[in-house]
Amino acid sequence: MKKIVCSLLFCAFVFMVYAAPKPDKAFWEMVFKGVKTRIALHVVDEDGVAVSDVNAHFVFSRVEKYDEKNAVTDRDGNCVVENLTCGNSIEVRLSKVGDYDSSIMLCYIRMGNVHGVKDDKWQPYPTEKTVVLRKIRNPIPMIKCSDVFTIPTTNKWVGFDFELKDWTAPYGKGRLPDIEAFFTWDGNPPMSSKFVRLDVRFSGAVSGCYFADKIVESKFNGVYNAVTNDCYGVGELAFYSDIREGRHDVKKFDFSKVLVVRTRCKLDDAGDIVSANYSTIRAILVDGGWDGHGEMTLRYYYNPMSNDTNLEPKR
């Protein structure tokens, strides 16, 4: 496996050498040998408080190989590591007992762009990065879905059951619709399709969703708990691609966010919520299919326990 990874890194590096603007020969000779970099990490928790005794594992890309180094954060949450690298990638993995792992990827060279080297050092020197490490609080069993579903019909609202991971009758074995999907499409296969759209709504009184920011570097990048106030104001979403002649409009799922959802709401006579179920949607993607039906990619965690706002899944 390591040989495969090294070979891929080398191929990518060679491609960048030929694709990027050409500095002088001396520059590339220096890069092939490895240029010094200095990574200064600052590890904090979600409140910005420094985290000590974090194990930091560094993987520095080199031409046809890679170097690994380890460090531990001090009482101020800091650690510093120096090494040579071709600049293609530096992976940093952080771990501590009782916390979720975090990881980041650094790169000094990207396609078509060469960062500066000064005094035989990658710039900026040092490269300073702050990384968040999140606590493991109370993970629970949740229903996980990460699959592609054939959309059974077009131009009609169809229910989807999060608990059973299936369309509702008459298209599947689902019983209660957590979402409803409305699919429109020009009928062409994915490579030639000019128009595809998926509207999603949350049926039922006071059902809906809100967007929350991800902690992208954390293995657990969602939210610990759903809120129970009136922030579930988003009742309908649309994802589409319209690239017909004279038009070019694309709206995709925002992967920098997590979608917190409240469904299956039951109300008392006063209109107050008696029970509800909560979930997080990580992705909704839509495309035209090859068999005359559209396809919906859906990734979510669903808490089957009514009135339990915990959204921290056990892995």
Side-chain angles (χ1 to χ4, degrees), residues 233-287:
V234 181
E236 189 167 330
L237 302 166
F239 307 100
Y240 52 83
S241 176
D242 187 352
I243 54 174
R244 291 173 289 182
E245 186 175 354
R247 306 184 189 182
H248 192 282
D249 192 10
V250 177
K251 185 177 181 182
K252 297 183 179 180
F253 190 91
D254 186 353
F255 286 96
S256 69
K257 307 283 186 180
V258 60
L259 197 59
V260 184
V261 177
R262 179 173 67 192
T263 57
R264 307 194 183 199
C265 301
K266 296 179 181 179
L267 309 180
D268 60 19
D269 293 339
D272 296 322
I273 297 176
V274 176
S275 66
N277 287 82
Y278 299 91
S279 54
T280 54
I281 296 178
R282 308 305 179 96
I284 303 176
L285 300 171
V286 61
D287 207 342

Side-chain angles (χ1 to χ4, degrees), residues 5-116:
V5 172
C6 288
S7 297
L8 290 173
L9 285 173
F10 178 69
C11 291
F13 181 77
V14 170
F15 177 82
M16 287 186 289
V17 169
Y18 287 98
K22 300 298 188 293
D24 57 35
K25 181 180 178 182
F27 173 86
W28 287 116
E29 289 177 348
M30 178 174 57
V31 169
F32 267 74
K33 291 179 181 178
V35 179
K36 183 183 290 187
T37 184
R38 181 181 175 91
I39 310 299
L41 279 186
H42 181 54
V43 183
V44 298
D45 63 17
E46 290 184 89
D47 296 320
V49 178
V51 183
S52 61
D53 301 318
V54 177
N55 297 306
H57 181 70
F58 298 78
V59 181
F60 295 87
S61 62
R62 301 284 301 277
V63 175
E64 295 189 298
K65 67 174 184 176
Y66 60 88
D67 295 335
E68 299 184 51
K69 285 199 170 184
N70 296 302
V72 179
T73 59
D74 61 21
R75 59 184 298 176
D76 297 316
N78 298 322
C79 68
V80 178
V81 169
E82 289 185 348
N83 203 73
L84 298 178
T85 177
C86 66
N88 184 27
S89 66
I90 301 168
E91 184 180 2
V92 185
R93 300 193 292 267
L94 304 176
S95 63
K96 183 178 180 179
V97 175
D99 292 334
Y100 289 102
D101 291 353
S102 284
S103 62
I104 59 172
M105 186 74 74
L106 306 176
C107 181
Y108 291 109
I109 295 180
R110 297 193 183 279
M111 298 298 181
N113 181 42
V114 178
H115 288 249

Side-chain angles (χ1 to χ4, degrees), residues 188-215:
N188 294 317
M191 297 299 292
S192 58
S193 178
K194 299 295 184 181
F195 177 77
V196 63
R197 178 180 175 119
L198 184 71
D199 290 89
V200 175
R201 70 184 183 187
F202 304 90
S203 57
V206 302
S207 293
C209 66
Y210 67 89
F211 290 92
D213 291 330
K214 284 183 178 179
I215 309 296

Side-chain angles (χ1 to χ4, degrees), residues 132-183:
V132 175
L133 205 63
R134 309 183 78 192
K135 284 290 182 187
I136 299 174
R137 294 184 182 176
N138 182 30
I140 61 170
M142 295 179 68
I143 294 173
K144 178 184 178 181
C145 176
S146 181
D147 209 342
V148 179
F149 298 90
T150 297
I151 304 173
T153 186
T154 58
N155 300 313
K156 183 178 180 180
W157 288 104
V158 185
F160 189 91
D161 187 321
F162 279 179
E163 187 168 13
L164 298 180
K165 295 189 279 190
D166 200 0
W167 301 104
T168 56
Y171 303 106
K173 297 179 181 179
R175 295 181 296 106
L176 296 174
D178 292 281
I179 62 172
E180 292 179 302
F182 189 97
F183 180 59

